[in-house]
Every structure is written in C-alpha cells, then in structure tokens.
Amino acid sequence: MKIKNIFFDFDGVIADSVSAKTDAFKEMYLPYGAEIAEKVVEYHINNGGISRFEKFKYWEKEFFGKNISQ
C-alpha cells in the first residue's frame, strides 16, 4: 500500500492555533472599528469552547443586528 496523503491535526496537537484565530477574527472586524474588533477578541478568548460558526452568529447579531445561518 502506497501512502498518498498524510493529514495533521495542528489545532492544539502540534501547534496552538488560538492566537492565529484571534488575530484573524480581529483583522476581519477592524474595518468596523477598533472597539468592535476588541470586543470580538474578548468574546473569542472568553468563549474558547464555542464553535467559530456560533461566534460569527453572535457577533453579527450583537454588533449589526443580523441573523445569519451556517
């Protein structure tokens, strides 16, 4: 059997990706102002166990009054 592909689970196994996600979320919301971006970061850090999909739903509803789906 010849191996064609190898997949690695980097999130918390080989490398910690939390800081990369934090930076990405902040950058995504910076166009809406530094205050919103900082609130996004704070919520992300304080709610580490919540899916990013749920975080986006929360942020969009909280900051812009939008109800979004998956």
Side-chain angles (χ1 to χ4, degrees), residues 28-51:
M28 288 177 69
Y29 282 91
L30 267 176
Y32 303 102
E35 184 177 340
I36 286 178
E38 289 304 320
K39 287 180 181 180
V40 164
V41 167
E42 182 180 343
Y43 185 83
H44 169 63
I45 290 170
N46 291 331
N47 296 279
I50 296 176
S51 157

Side-chain angles (χ1 to χ4, degrees), residues 13-64:
V13 177
I14 296 173
D16 186 8
S17 64
V18 174
S19 63
K21 285 187 250 183
T22 303
D23 293 344
F25 291 148
K26 182 177 183 178
E27 188 172 326
M28 288 177 69
Y29 282 91
L30 267 176
Y32 303 102
E35 184 177 340
I36 286 178
E38 289 304 320
K39 287 180 181 180
V40 164
V41 167
E42 182 180 343
Y43 185 83
H44 169 63
I45 290 170
N46 291 331
N47 296 279
I50 296 176
S51 157
R52 68 182 169 271
F53 300 109
E54 295 304 316
K55 289 178 182 179
F56 282 117
K57 286 180 186 179
Y58 174 82
W59 294 327
E60 292 297 313
K61 177 70 174 172
E62 182 72 15
F63 303 131
F64 311 112

